[in-house]
Amino acid sequence: MLKTGKLLRIRRLSLAGDGRHLFVPLDHSVSDGPIVPADKWDDLLRALVDGGADGIIVHKGRARAFAPDILKRCALVVHLSASTACSSDVNAKVLVGDVEEALRLGADAVSVHVNIGSDTEAQQLADLGAVARSCDAWGMPLIAMIYPRGPRIDDPRDPALLAHVVNVAADLGADMVKTSVALPVERMAEVVANSPLPVLAAGGPPDGSDLVEYGTAVMASGCSGLAIGRRIFSSPSPYALVSRLSAVVHGAGGMAADMSMTQSTSNYPTIVAGVA
């Protein structure tokens, strides 16, 4: 029964039911400070949901702060790790929540952040393993956000290194893995080919170039989805950008295209990012 519960929740992580995902991480308010003014949060969430995001990623306290009806067509992922930009070691992630809390909030999945090559790698690996064990007990999908980051990493975009870290996520019990994109982008195919798990590409192009073209290239490499936060929530029109990215992830005839036929970007006010 618990296994069935996990499979049902994984199904809810893909709007189109095609095993592809567009997630919007909004956990930056812990690491960096406000992402939008407090009175714009509901507007932002509605824009993401109606634009076709498959899921949003927030911390537990934020999940309590918005109306449940906002996520009528969008999965809730509760992020269990944290650190701030004010820390003496920004790569040191600690657990600030657990699976049982996420279940009480109605979460469809949880996520844990691990930085391979950091000074606290050992504890972060132990935390990932412990959360994986709890996820198995409760039938909760686990997304490992795992990156090569820290003083021992020379090239965080190295395909061989990225293939290593996604296998760490698989071996320790994750159901999906989010990681950095290899450079050049086409070499991300090597990472995907070596991953036992669906791979979600984190963030946008490091040079700030066109996000939709970048997303198209990433998906062509074999990734199962995109997980993009800052470039979306700082956009003048998150709804329009999410709609375009949803079409990239799910195909031009997918959920975003259907919704864009009935929604107009004029329905959503301009959302201005807050200052960290």
Side-chain angles (χ1 to χ4, degrees):
M1 183 167 59
L2 290 176
K3 183 177 180 182
T4 300
K6 178 176 278 196
L7 292 175
L8 287 172
R9 292 184 178 98
I10 288 175
R11 170 62 182 80
R12 290 199 292 266
L13 298 176
S14 176
L15 276 175
D18 57 4
R20 294 187 170 202
H21 315 274
L22 173 59
F23 293 148
V24 183
L26 301 172
D27 55 300
H28 304 68
S29 49
V30 168
S31 57
D32 301 318
I35 62 174
V36 291
D39 62 352
K40 295 294 185 181
W41 259 92
D42 283 359
D43 289 338
L44 173 60
L45 290 171
R46 289 190 175 94
L48 301 177
V49 172
D50 291 340
D54 293 281
I56 62 162
I57 303 172
V58 294
H59 283 283
K60 59 184 180 182
R62 190 69 62 177
R64 298 188 186 106
F66 51 77
D69 67 288
I70 292 178
L71 299 185
K72 54 187 178 294
R73 295 187 308 274
C74 184
L76 171 64
V77 181
V78 173
H79 194 42
L80 304 183
S81 304
S83 70
T84 77
C86 302
S87 172
S88 60
D89 182 0
V90 296
N91 294 315
K93 299 292 180 177
V94 298
L95 289 181
V96 292
D98 58 42
V99 175
E100 289 85 353
E101 286 179 301
L103 282 167
R104 289 194 291 271
L105 290 166
D108 298 291
V110 296
S111 57
V112 172
H113 188 136
V114 176
N115 288 321
I116 298 297
S118 67
D119 287 338
T120 59
E121 175 192 299
Q123 184 58 54
Q124 293 177 53
L125 290 174
D127 290 342
L128 177 60
V131 172
R133 182 169 60 251
S134 185
C135 282
D136 281 344
W138 289 104
M140 177 70 84
L142 171 59
I143 303 169
M145 301 182 180
I146 189 163
Y147 309 95
R149 289 181 183 170
R152 295 159 191 82
I153 302 300
D154 294 324
D155 180 7
R157 302 280 183 168
D158 174 37
L161 186 53
L162 291 168
H164 180 187
V165 303
V166 299
N167 275 272
V168 170
D171 288 337
L172 295 189
D175 299 291
M176 297 182 192
V177 57
K178 171 192 169 194
T179 195
S180 304
V181 174
L183 291 179
V185 174
E186 55 267 22
R187 294 200 66 186
M188 196 64 186
E190 300 170 31
V191 181
V192 173
N194 283 288
S195 176
L197 302 178
V199 177
L200 308 174
D207 61 0
S209 56
D210 185 83
L211 186 58
V212 175
E213 290 182 7
Y214 177 79
T216 301
V218 168
M219 293 302 295
S221 74
C223 286
S224 295
L226 307 174
I228 300 171
R230 194 181 309 277
R231 286 286 297 270
I232 289 177
F233 64 68
S234 63
S235 166
S237 178
Y239 168 81
L241 184 52
V242 166
S243 295
R244 294 177 68 197
L245 291 169
S246 179
V248 168
V249 170
H250 295 293
M255 295 297 295
D258 292 342
M259 283 186 282
S260 64
M261 294 291 290
T262 58
Q263 297 283 355
S264 166
T265 57
S266 63
N267 293 340
Y268 301 96
T270 299
I271 300 171
V272 180
V275 178

